[in-house]
Amino acid sequence: MQFSGRNHSTGMTTLGAVLLLFVSIVPDLRAEEHAPEPEKRPKVGLVLSGGGARGLAHMGVLEWFEQHRIPVDYLAGTSMGGLIGGMYATGMSPDEMRVFIKAINWNKVFGTGIDHQELSYRRKEDRNFYQVDLEFGLRHGIRTPPGLSSGHQVGLLIDNLTLAYATLKNFDELPIPFRCVAADIIAAKPVVMKDGLLSTAMRATMSIPGLFPPVQRNGQWLVDGGILDNVPTDVMRDFHPDVIIAVDVGTPLGDENAVNSIFGVLSQTVGVFTAGSYRRNLADADIVITPNLKDHAITDFNNVDTTADLGIPAAEEKANVLERYSLDEASWQKYLVQRTAHTKRQLPVPEDLHVTGVSARAANEIRRELRAYIGAPLVKAHIEEDLTRLAGEGRYESLDYGFIIDASGRNVLQIRVREKTYAPPTIDFSIGLVGSDINEINFAFGTRLTLFDIGGYGSEWRHDFNLGNGSSFATEYYHPLGHTHLFFAPRAFYLRDKENYFEGGIRRAVFQVNNYGLGFDVGVDTWQSELRVGYQINRLDAGLSTGEAPIDKISGKVHFAKIRWAFDGTNSATVPTKGIRLTAEGRWYFNAPLMTAPFAQADFKGIMFKPVSRRDSIFVFSGVGTTFDKEAAPAQKFSVGGPFWLGAYDSFEYIGNHYVLMSTGYMRRIYQLPPLAGGGIYVLAWYDLGGAFDDFSKADYHSAGSVGFIIDTRLGPFGLVGSLGGHGKGRIYFTLGRFF
């Protein structure tokens, strides 16, 4: 084989021959001082292709290289190859890489960016009531996010990997000189990254279009380099290695069966578009290693070891040519010493903290919250938790961190904030669909518009619009008091809805209800909870729409004071599998239509999810409400019945001054959807016992058993449930938009 770094001549001059003969017979007079240098070994350049989760096989190839003492002198990678290559270039061993990769929650990385439990309480409220998993914005007209995921988690992941090299000037200074490739989505050209921030380079090379937002770097908007240069052997040529070894983990083009669906056609089209450069670059490699990945999906990160191990036999198949570059033990140890000499592990202590990417006011607020990191050893887990908390407030797309050296030579912790390009204001959506038969389908569409920092940093003005079953409008202005957790919140609302009237278990009438009013709350909030004390004045008008009832009209003013505490410690707004969600509310009614005397009410609801295995959870719900020893006004009585509230019975089938409902159930995840599609598919079963009544001594309890399944989609959970109660009561119903 002819190596590109060597020059070969076909002849030799006579003078050259004489000189060569002279040198060969004249002893070196200083031989004892300087031993002759061994022949220089060939320089090895390794190229790692993109391929999503298939790229985990790169780790197996690297493991085989180390077992056979094959050095890697230069590295180039794209997409997942850029991530794995960057990890190896910074000095991580294949074993360390496996441990790191397996510890990653890939569903979290490829999810929306911030897990439910990491959101602030107000953002949890948004997700609980508006469960379409796509936020819009009105920053420059109505727009969607540039990616389904904010990229916050993958940014922190790469910051964690590269933090010790944050002040690196050139990627040639790494333990292994490194290059990675991204695509400039504006200029439509590949971009080879060889200096600047290593973290943004590695993030850009794997910024999958549509999933992650483009990365802004040096004035360019960069996405996954795989769309233009998935096997960057052309980049490796600039290092002038003696041999180029390429590892190909790309997905091959499909056959005629692959174009039988719109998604298959799109996938095949992208493959055809990139096939030309892909084949050219593979042909430019001296050795190509192709792991037998068969049907391994680019999204399957659940089997790290299985996929990684496939790289080992692939390298072994090329052993006869690869082992030409194997070193003896002494030379291998020397190579490792040289590589390790450039490895950095120690982190400096931050002497100051700078915030970039936001206004001076926002930067000052963020700096104030993070000032404790100045002068203390940096703990990566702690800073990542705090940055995720800031992202969980909903203002920013993502935050990441690194070190810089300022003009005074100090080590400065730099917080890089990326504001949302499309928001604020933000718009969240909900779809509500509940039905038990073709003649009884209730549909509602809702949206929440939230404006930030109106009247001060941290304030929010949000507006809710709901159309369909239960049309409503509500507006609330939330204003924190200084740097405390205290706030005040005036609000106004209007609600138009229908309510059933039952007698003897039979629906006798339907009331049309209109309710509008004003309220004012003061309170204190934490990351998972909120406590409010307030007063509300509203007007209630309820008139008989169809059927017959003892009262055909309820109309008048409603005045009450309230105290309400809510806590959300669950891991999901849609289908939780662990955690607790609680609400407790007390009201004192001063006035209400047809009220005989002022009365107090208390209401408590709680649900707990407890995982018992990786796929299974049990859940327990408890609800209890009471009017104590008073009589509630007709419109303020509690009700039980309807989906998830004794599901075998109709909504409002049982009403009274008090209610009790207890449920216990079991849930199992039977399939995990790809992150782009949603969460899991679950089967579940539960048992309800409860009722509503006017007197505890005459309580009448009812029961129902339910079985069904839930699909946790990006539009909200879709459920199909069958419920069976006493006296032959039963129904099958479906729901979209909210389940628990």
Side-chain angles (χ1 to χ4, degrees), residues 186-220:
I186 304 298
K189 64 179 183 181
V191 175
V192 180
M193 293 169 286
K194 60 182 180 181
D195 53 24
L197 286 173
L198 179 61
S199 60
T200 59
M202 290 175 62
R203 183 174 175 181
T205 191
M206 59 177 296
S207 186
I208 304 169
L211 177 59
F212 297 123
V215 174
Q216 191 174 17
R217 190 177 192 270
N218 298 332
Q220 298 170 306

Side-chain angles (χ1 to χ4, degrees), residues 559-634:
H559 295 189
F560 64 88
K562 72 168 186 177
I563 180 170
R564 183 178 187 273
W565 177 74
F567 172 87
D568 187 350
T570 57
N571 65 338
S572 171
T574 51
V575 186
T577 56
K578 68 176 180 179
I580 299 174
R581 192 180 295 163
L582 304 170
T583 59
E585 184 168 341
R587 295 187 178 190
W588 177 266
Y589 284 90
F590 298 96
N591 192 35
L594 305 181
M595 180 180 77
T596 57
F599 61 94
Q601 282 188 331
D603 188 7
F604 169 84
K605 299 182 184 71
I607 188 167
M608 179 185 72
F609 298 85
K610 175 69 175 177
V612 293
S613 73
R614 191 169 62 90
R615 294 186 171 210
D616 303 277
S617 295
I618 57 174
F619 58 91
V620 178
F621 171 82
S622 176
V624 58
T626 180
T627 317
F628 302 98
D629 58 350
K630 301 292 186 179
E631 178 72 17

Side-chain angles (χ1 to χ4, degrees), residues 109-128:
V109 168
F110 291 118
T112 54
I114 308 294
D115 279 356
H116 184 71
Q117 64 264 35
E118 295 168 337
L119 297 173
S120 69
Y121 181 77
R122 289 182 68 79
R123 300 292 77 79
K124 286 186 175 79
E125 278 192 319
D126 294 341
R127 292 290 292 118
N128 286 336

Side-chain angles (χ1 to χ4, degrees), residues 112-115 118-120 123 135 139 145-153 156 203 213 355-370 386-400 415-426 450 452-453 456-460 527:
T112 54
I114 308 294
D115 279 356
E118 295 168 337
L119 297 173
S120 69
R123 300 292 77 79
E135 180 185 73
R139 190 166 189 165
L148 291 175
S149 170
S150 69
H152 175 76
Q153 296 295 345
L156 292 184
R203 183 174 175 181
V355 180
T356 65
V358 290
S359 67
R361 181 178 65 171
N364 288 335
E365 290 290 337
I366 293 172
R367 190 179 190 280
R368 182 189 62 80
E369 292 195 38
L370 301 178
D386 282 339
L387 294 182
T388 299
R389 177 178 54 80
L390 287 168
E393 293 177 358
R395 287 178 174 80
Y396 309 120
E397 183 176 88
S398 62
L399 298 93
D400 61 12
I415 306 301
R416 298 180 291 269
V417 184
R418 277 176 288 276
E419 291 189 319
K420 295 177 178 178
T421 57
Y422 61 97
T426 61
T450 305
F452 290 88
D453 302 334
Y457 183 83
S459 63
E460 298 178 15
W527 202 249

Side-chain angles (χ1 to χ4, degrees), residues 436-448:
S436 56
D437 60 56
I438 196 66
N439 297 317
E440 194 172 331
I441 298 177
N442 296 316
F443 175 78
F445 174 79
T447 182
R448 169 170 286 177

Side-chain angles (χ1 to χ4, degrees), residues 697-737:
S697 64
K698 299 178 181 178
D700 185 15
Y701 293 99
H702 308 272
S703 62
S706 302
V707 295
F709 69 88
I710 317 170
I711 305 175
D712 190 8
T713 76
R714 288 264 182 174
L715 295 178
F718 171 79
L720 181 64
V721 177
S723 294
L724 183 64
H727 307 293
K729 285 270 190 176
R731 62 182 54 240
I732 296 175
Y733 57 88
F734 61 88
T735 177
L736 174 64

Side-chain angles (χ1 to χ4, degrees), residues 465-524:
F465 305 87
N466 287 278
L467 300 174
N469 184 52
S471 298
S472 65
F473 167 76
T475 182
E476 178 188 77
Y477 179 69
Y478 167 92
H479 190 88
L481 299 175
H483 294 131
T484 70
H485 290 282
L486 300 173
F487 67 88
F488 66 84
R491 66 184 187 281
F493 67 92
Y494 169 77
L495 170 66
R496 180 180 178 84
D497 203 356
K498 293 181 178 181
E499 291 189 8
N500 296 322
Y501 170 73
F502 281 83
E503 187 177 66
I506 300 173
R507 182 167 54 187
R508 302 292 186 181
V510 177
F511 280 83
Q512 183 71 54
V513 180
N514 289 278
N515 200 354
Y516 54 92
L518 303 170
F520 186 90
D521 294 338
V522 295
V524 58

